[in-house]
């Protein structure tokens, strides 16, 4: 089974960014121009608690309407990003609403909900696993790391715990840019889509046809039920996180690795995913392969 085929048309995008229409430091036009100049094909503008821009193709960059909802819980917060939602969503979800209400309304109105920066938010596994009808989470959020925040940009640990509990999420990498002093154009999601339209991007997100990266590229991922085969750009390390706590046989290192095969252990029961790391320490993350369907 081919899980990822990079020979198709693949689009580069960012699904979480802020502008001067909420608490960002650059205008929507400035943000679009910046991402366009860095080779992005699409960009979701997700200002806080309101849909501030409409979807439009602007000088070759698809700008997608979006929103970010925030909720305070005891000891943690939950932020839910909505991709491709109408302005109506901001009226149906209030500060008194529960996070599940935001997810339900985003879905009802044709959008795609994404759990934002769970590590930064100090989300617990029980809280994440209780959320229904949300299949995507940010595994990496640029502005959640140094120097803008304490170093909680990478949510791999908490999301692996959730996957081990039977609640695997597909994974995106986003900037969540606010300051535009190094927090933009650092993380992105590669989406397989023949069309660069809002509906096509949302369809690809719903079917899990994407991966998260800060640089390395997946060329092909296959799984025959016994072995995961990976072709990628040249990297120095490839590893296969799963519900197994030990790492023997799951980490491959070398110079300019471009092909790795990982035989699934009889101990693997829940999931396995693939991480690439290049010589500069930049990573790419595949979506989890769920083994106990």
């Amino acid at each position: 089974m081919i899980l990822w085929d990079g020979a198709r048309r693949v689009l580069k995008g960012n699904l979480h960014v802020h502008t001067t229409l909420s608490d960002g430091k650059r205008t929507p036009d400035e943000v679009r121009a910046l991402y366009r100049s860095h080779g992005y094909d699409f960009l979701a503008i997700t200002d806080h608690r309101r849909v501030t821009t409409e979807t439009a193709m602007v000088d070759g960059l698809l700008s997608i309407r979006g929103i970010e909802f925030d909720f305070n819980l005891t000891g943690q917060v939950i932020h839910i990003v909505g991709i491709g939602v109408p302005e109506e969503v901001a009226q149906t979800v209030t500060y008194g609403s529960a996070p599940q209400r935001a997810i339900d309304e985003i879905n009802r109105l044709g959008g795609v909900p994404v759990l934002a920066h769970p590590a930064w938010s100090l989300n617990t596994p029980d809280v994440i696993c209780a959320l229904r009808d949300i299949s995507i989470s940010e595994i990496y959020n640029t502005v959640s790391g140094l120097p803008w925040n304490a170093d909680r940009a990478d949510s791999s640990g908490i999301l692996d715990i959730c996957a081990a509990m039977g609640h695997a999420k597909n994974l995106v990498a986003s900037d969540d840019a606010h300051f535009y002093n190094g927090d933009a154009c650092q993380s992105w999601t590669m989406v397989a889509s023949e069309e660069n339209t809002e509906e096509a991007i949302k369809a690809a997100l719903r079917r899990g046809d994407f991966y998260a990266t800060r640089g390395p590229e997946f060329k092909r991922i296959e799984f025959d039920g016994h072995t995961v085969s990976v072709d990628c750009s040249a990297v120095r390390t490839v590893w296969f996180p799963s519900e197994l706590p030990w790492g023997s046989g799951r980490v491959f290192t070398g110079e300019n690795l471009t092909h790795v095969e990982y035989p699934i252990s009889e101990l693997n029961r829940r999931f396995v995913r693939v991480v690439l790391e290049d010589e500069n320490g930049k990573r790419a993350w595949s979506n989890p392969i769920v083994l106990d369907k």
Side-chain angles (χ1 to χ4, degrees):
M1 177 172 55
I2 299 173
L3 302 176
W4 174 259
D5 181 3
R8 301 167 295 168
R9 186 186 187 195
V10 178
L11 304 176
K12 177 181 179 179
N14 180 49
L15 294 168
H16 187 177
V17 69
H18 298 276
T19 76
T20 51
L21 299 180
S22 61
D23 61 347
K25 300 299 184 183
R26 291 198 181 184
T27 68
D29 284 344
E30 290 171 333
V31 174
R32 292 185 190 106
L34 177 63
Y35 277 85
R36 185 172 58 249
S37 71
H38 282 77
Y40 285 72
D41 299 297
F42 65 90
L43 172 72
I45 293 178
T46 54
D47 283 313
H48 293 284
R49 288 198 167 265
R50 60 192 183 118
V51 178
T52 58
T53 61
E54 289 300 313
T55 295
M57 185 66 72
V58 182
D59 296 331
L61 175 83
L62 178 67
S63 177
I64 301 175
R65 56 189 174 163
I67 197 167
E68 182 178 17
F69 291 108
D70 56 284
F71 304 92
N72 294 321
L73 282 67
T74 302
Q76 60 187 295
V77 299
I78 292 183
H79 286 205
I80 305 293
V81 169
I83 307 299
V85 288
E87 188 175 354
E88 174 188 347
V89 73
Q91 281 71 58
T92 62
V93 181
T94 67
Y95 276 105
S97 301
Q100 189 61 53
R101 170 74 172 177
I103 296 168
D104 293 344
E105 286 301 289
I106 291 167
N107 283 320
R108 182 181 71 84
L109 294 168
V112 176
V114 177
L115 177 64
H117 45 63
W120 180 91
S121 299
L122 294 177
N123 292 150
T124 61
D126 288 345
V127 165
I128 295 173
C129 293
L131 298 174
R132 304 181 307 278
D133 301 319
I134 181 168
S135 62
I136 302 173
S137 175
E138 292 176 353
I139 192 168
Y140 196 90
N141 179 286
T142 303
V143 85
S144 293
L146 299 171
W148 309 279
N149 281 280
D151 193 10
R152 293 205 295 266
D154 193 319
S155 294
S156 297
I158 186 66
L159 292 173
D160 280 352
I161 293 172
C162 293
M165 295 171 65
H167 294 269
K169 304 292 186 191
N170 289 331
L171 307 172
V172 298
S174 299
D175 285 328
D176 194 5
H178 286 71
F179 307 103
Y180 299 95
N181 60 357
D183 57 343
C185 305
Q186 298 297 313
S187 308
W188 55 94
T189 301
M190 301 298 290
V191 174
S193 177
E194 288 302 317
E195 297 181 349
N196 192 12
T197 65
E198 178 186 298
E199 290 306 316
I201 296 299
K202 290 193 295 185
L205 292 174
R206 292 187 183 109
R207 66 177 182 264
D209 209 356
F210 58 88
Y211 69 86
T213 185
R214 303 194 72 224
E217 299 178 4
F218 286 103
K219 305 294 187 182
R220 191 177 182 91
I221 305 173
E222 294 186 59
F223 179 51
D224 63 4
H226 304 283
T227 301
V228 182
S229 299
V230 179
D231 293 295
C232 58
S233 58
V235 296
R236 67 180 182 187
T237 310
V238 182
W239 70 97
F240 296 83
S242 73
E243 79 276 20
L244 303 180
W246 50 86
S248 178
R250 295 190 293 129
V251 180
F252 300 80
T253 60
E255 292 188 9
N256 298 317
L257 292 175
T258 59
H259 179 80
V260 169
E261 295 185 5
Y262 171 60
I264 297 296
S265 165
E266 63 181 13
L267 299 176
N268 285 113
R269 293 290 184 269
R270 287 290 189 179
F271 77 98
V272 63
R273 58 185 181 84
V274 191
V275 184
L276 312 175
E277 184 173 272
D278 67 17
E279 62 182 6
N280 298 312
K282 301 294 186 181
R283 295 180 179 179
W285 304 263
S286 79
N287 289 329
I289 303 167
V290 178
L291 303 175
D292 61 349
K293 291 184 179 179

